Amino acid sequence: MLKSRSFGSLLAVGLLALPAGLHAQNADACFLRGATVEQAAERPSPLGVVAIPMGDAEATLCYGRPSAKGREMVGGLDPFGNPWRLGANEATAIHLPFAATIGGVAVEPGSYSIYTIPSENEWEFVVNGSAERWGVPINEGVRAEDIGSFTRSVAALDEFVETFTISWEAHGEGMGHLVMDFENRRVEVPIHMAGMNH
């Protein structure tokens, strides 16, 4: 695993230029199969890292960022009704230093993967106990480690989002939403620390 580097030093050498809301200082928490953080940043679907600050702690979400490039992605290359890794490359993973609820699924401190089964108007999200793996296939072996699931509605966006982007929107000190934008869709997943009200 790559030794931890500061966000500033990675940006200074142009290795992990991430959009606003994505944070490289947490990239050392990400499982990257056979790759360094620098190599993952240069992939066709580069590494995205989202810091999720809550109280005195900070969770980290790691995911690959595919781009549409003229293709229909959700509902096309990633068909409706089929499990999608919620990104590209490795499984989309969340690393939690505290107990939390992800969209209604209670989890203890630890690392989890999240995938979705999209449809036109809502996405079913699945929290899975296997975080350190390649994102596909999502087969019976992977699904045997599912912890729980929940459904979230899809909202339409006025502007097209070329590259899949997940950001964190805080709603108080111990809760907020993961906001997922891709193509002309937005889906939000609430997360809150254990003991916090919705």
Side-chain angles (χ1 to χ4, degrees):
M1 179 173 286
L2 182 74
K3 292 180 181 176
S4 179
R5 297 187 185 186
S6 73
F7 182 49
S9 67
L10 284 168
L11 284 181
V13 293
L15 295 174
L16 199 58
L18 298 173
L22 302 181
H23 299 275
Q25 69 264 35
N26 294 3
D28 60 342
C30 300
F31 168 72
L32 301 173
R33 190 180 74 174
T36 65
V37 171
E38 291 92 339
Q39 290 166 338
E42 295 172 355
R43 290 168 169 170
S45 297
L47 174 66
V49 184
V50 184
I52 304 172
M54 289 193 181
D56 295 330
E58 189 167 87
T60 301
L61 183 100
C62 307
Y63 71 110
R65 305 188 64 221
S67 295
K69 299 178 181 176
R71 306 168 295 179
E72 182 182 6
M73 301 297 285
V74 180
L77 288 177
D78 299 301
F80 291 141
N82 287 355
W84 174 44
R85 75 186 99 183
L86 199 59
N89 307 316
E90 291 85 4
T92 293
I94 188 167
H95 307 280
L96 294 162
F98 44 77
T101 300
I102 304 171
V105 177
V107 293
E108 295 300 317
S111 295
Y112 304 91
S113 61
I114 303 173
Y115 63 90
T116 188
I117 303 171
S119 65
E120 184 67 43
N121 298 314
E122 63 182 22
W123 291 5
E124 178 186 0
F125 288 87
V126 182
V127 180
N128 182 277
S130 176
E132 293 193 351
R133 59 179 175 81
W134 196 247
V136 292
I138 300 173
N139 54 24
E140 289 183 10
V142 170
R143 300 194 76 173
E145 297 193 53
D146 290 351
I147 295 169
S149 65
F150 56 94
T151 302
R152 300 293 293 172
S153 297
V154 176
L157 295 174
D158 293 332
E159 294 186 10
F160 188 84
V161 176
E162 170 68 17
T163 301
F164 181 50
T165 300
I166 302 178
S167 57
W168 175 248
E169 187 176 286
H171 297 289
E173 188 173 338
M175 64 184 71
H177 285 182
L178 288 172
V179 180
M180 304 173 192
D181 293 330
F182 198 23
E183 299 173 296
N184 46 15
R185 298 176 179 88
R186 169 171 288 179
V187 184
E188 299 190 27
V189 170
I191 299 179
H192 64 270
M193 297 180 79
M196 298 294 293
N197 295 324
H198 290 277

